[in-house]
Amino acid sequence: MTETQRSRTFTWTDPAAHVGELGRLSGLDMLRSLAKGDLPRPPVMELLDAEGVDAEHGRVTFALEPREFHYNPLGTVHGGVISTMLDTAAACAVHSMLPAGVSYTTLDLNVKFLRPVTVESGRLTCTGEVIQRGRRTALAQARMVDTAGRLVAHATSSCMILEVPGAAAPAA
């Protein structure tokens, strides 16, 4: 390995080990359990080294400290990393409104990148909020700001709301 090469190792827990438990929790309860450490972080959060979950009904916040391993060949955080964080925040905001036995999937994600992000940008905060929830779809937005409070990226997302086969029936 040369002086400029870096190495990184991470571990994760198989998410399939907790699927049954997740089906019995409302979306908000699941997110709060993740935040407290009662449930293991999803593998993608370990991969990106994303931090914390602050969840309330219809609103979720995550954080990411930009690192070199997030960089593209131009020396800025790859747009895919930023998009993943925005998608996570928007979709989890939708999830925070769902009862046990109901899940979601992202239908679309529209991202606007407003400024480059580097390690000098400092901690990024990504907040997702539900704009509108219907019976089968929900619209959410997410905003990512740097340490100085400058908006670095924004996204809107549509999610399809799904019944989870074999999960507890939603409360009436």
Side-chain angles (χ1 to χ4, degrees):
M1 191 154 45
T2 69
E3 273 185 39
T4 59
Q5 288 180 316
R6 311 282 196 273
S7 176
R8 177 169 180 259
T9 303
F10 67 97
T11 58
W12 67 92
T13 301
D14 179 4
H18 300 279
V19 169
E21 185 177 350
L22 296 178
R24 290 185 292 276
L25 296 173
S26 71
L28 185 57
D29 288 341
M30 187 207 78
L31 291 165
R32 288 180 173 164
S33 291
L34 286 169
K36 289 190 306 189
D38 294 340
L39 290 173
R41 293 179 349 145
V44 69
M45 299 298 279
E46 297 292 350
L47 175 67
L48 294 178
D49 199 23
E51 302 170 1
V53 177
D54 180 29
E56 55 190 75
H57 189 76
R59 182 182 168 98
V60 175
T61 300
F62 295 96
L64 179 75
E65 192 74 37
R67 306 276 189 229
E68 284 182 347
F69 62 82
H70 295 128
Y71 278 9
N72 61 29
L74 302 175
T76 60
V77 172
H78 191 282
V81 172
I82 293 169
S83 295
T84 299
M85 291 299 295
L86 292 164
D87 178 48
T88 300
C92 285
V94 170
H95 196 188
S96 74
M97 298 181 71
L98 300 180
V102 178
S103 188
Y104 66 92
T105 189
T106 301
L107 290 171
D108 62 40
L109 182 71
N110 184 354
V111 177
K112 301 294 184 197
F113 303 100
L114 305 174
R115 64 178 61 243
V117 176
T118 66
V119 294
E120 288 79 25
S121 300
R123 183 180 174 94
L124 303 172
T125 304
C126 190
T127 302
E129 294 183 284
V130 173
I131 298 169
Q132 181 178 354
R133 180 181 184 252
R135 195 169 144 262
R136 293 285 174 212
T137 61
L139 178 64
Q141 66 179 356
R143 297 171 44 89
M144 180 180 280
V145 298
D146 64 13
T147 300
R150 296 175 299 194
L151 186 63
V152 299
H154 176 270
T156 55
S157 175
S158 299
C159 292
M160 182 185 319
I161 299 169
L162 307 165
E163 298 291 327
V164 178

